[in-house]
Amino acid sequence: MVRVVVVDDEPMVCVFLRTILGSAEDIEVVAEAHDGAAGAEAVERHRPDVVLMDLRMPGVDGLTAIERIRELADPPVIVVLTTFDADQYVLRALRAGATGFLIKTTPPEDLIGLVRVAAEGHTVLSPAAARRLIAASSDGHSARDRARRLVESLTEREVEVLAGLGEGLSNAQIGARLYLSEATIKGYVSRLLDKLGCVNRTQAGLLAHEAGVVGA
């Protein structure tokens, strides 16, 4: 059972998410909150697998809540909820440790599958959306320069694995592409995170886009 906490200041969004996700036999919305402070408290109380987090909320915003949640022991997967209207906070949230984002207009039939993917530890971030985020970021040039310098320190195989992360592929999918075992890819990913100073594979995938490793 995938346990979910929804944090959004719009009651109708919470009702929508609870209704859609509750229709799946393997997903349970265990709590909802309407600001970041209450969201962080709900996470600490219910220990969910996935948090769906809005960013723009009165009081404590989603970015602050993400930082608080990431400080918990064994924090859950955090997926940002956004209207994605050039929201620069999304990029900051990903760098703070969120593992991806969902646009609020995501079709209901896709939402359940995306939450399952997130719960399994995979990135919920489309390549097209990642490119738009980078283009919208205020420090895009410096981020690209830094990313390219980091990538220069990688081996050719590590760059290939990083490209797979940038495309949102699982370890198994990257392994199939490179004719390597899933366990071998897992080792590569672990070393990549250390080399690149990334908290999770989503940050590494974003860096892949910033460095131009993933094709346009």
Side-chain angles (χ1 to χ4, degrees):
M1 181 66 71
V2 178
R3 293 163 52 81
V4 179
V5 166
V6 175
V7 186
D8 195 292
D9 65 328
E10 298 182 33
M12 288 303 296
V13 172
C14 292
V15 170
F16 168 78
L17 293 171
R18 182 180 287 275
T19 299
I20 297 302
L21 297 177
S23 67
E25 294 182 355
D26 60 336
I27 299 177
E28 178 185 8
V29 177
V30 296
E32 61 183 63
H34 302 297
D35 65 47
E41 292 172 2
V43 169
E44 192 166 10
R45 185 181 313 116
H46 295 279
R47 308 304 298 184
D49 303 296
V50 177
V51 180
L52 299 181
M53 177 72 71
D54 189 17
L55 290 181
R56 300 179 182 184
M57 294 180 288
V60 175
D61 63 17
L63 185 62
T64 302
I66 290 170
E67 293 170 345
R68 291 182 184 179
I69 292 169
R70 290 293 306 173
E71 292 176 353
L72 297 175
D74 192 23
V77 170
I78 305 172
V79 177
V80 170
L81 284 171
T82 178
T83 55
F84 197 66
D85 184 14
D87 193 338
Q88 296 178 9
Y89 289 103
V90 174
L91 187 61
R92 291 174 57 193
L94 293 174
R95 288 175 174 159
T99 59
F101 71 85
L102 293 176
I103 302 171
K104 287 185 178 180
T105 55
T106 298
E109 60 271 20
D110 295 340
L111 184 60
I112 291 173
L114 290 170
V115 168
R116 288 174 178 148
V117 168
E120 292 172 355
H122 301 312
T123 301
V124 184
L125 179 66
S126 72
R131 287 194 293 272
R132 288 178 60 189
L133 276 174
I134 294 162
S137 67
S138 59
D139 61 343
H141 291 296
S142 61
R144 283 192 288 272
D145 291 342
R146 174 181 173 274
R148 287 167 181 162
R149 287 195 301 270
L150 286 170
V151 169
E152 287 176 357
S153 69
L154 303 180
T155 67
E156 182 178 352
R157 180 65 81 191
E158 286 171 338
V159 172
E160 291 174 335
V161 173
L162 181 62
L165 295 180
E167 294 177 42
L169 302 181
S170 67
N171 289 347
Q173 289 171 322
I174 298 172
R177 171 186 287 181
L178 301 180
Y179 302 101
L180 297 172
S181 71
E182 186 173 353
T184 298
I185 297 300
K186 183 177 180 180
Y188 271 113
V189 171
S190 179
R191 289 191 294 274
L192 276 173
L193 296 183
D194 287 339
K195 277 190 171 185
L196 300 174
C198 295
V199 173
N200 53 44
R201 59 194 295 130
T202 302
Q203 287 188 357
L206 185 60
L207 187 145
H209 285 275
E210 291 174 330
V213 171
V214 181

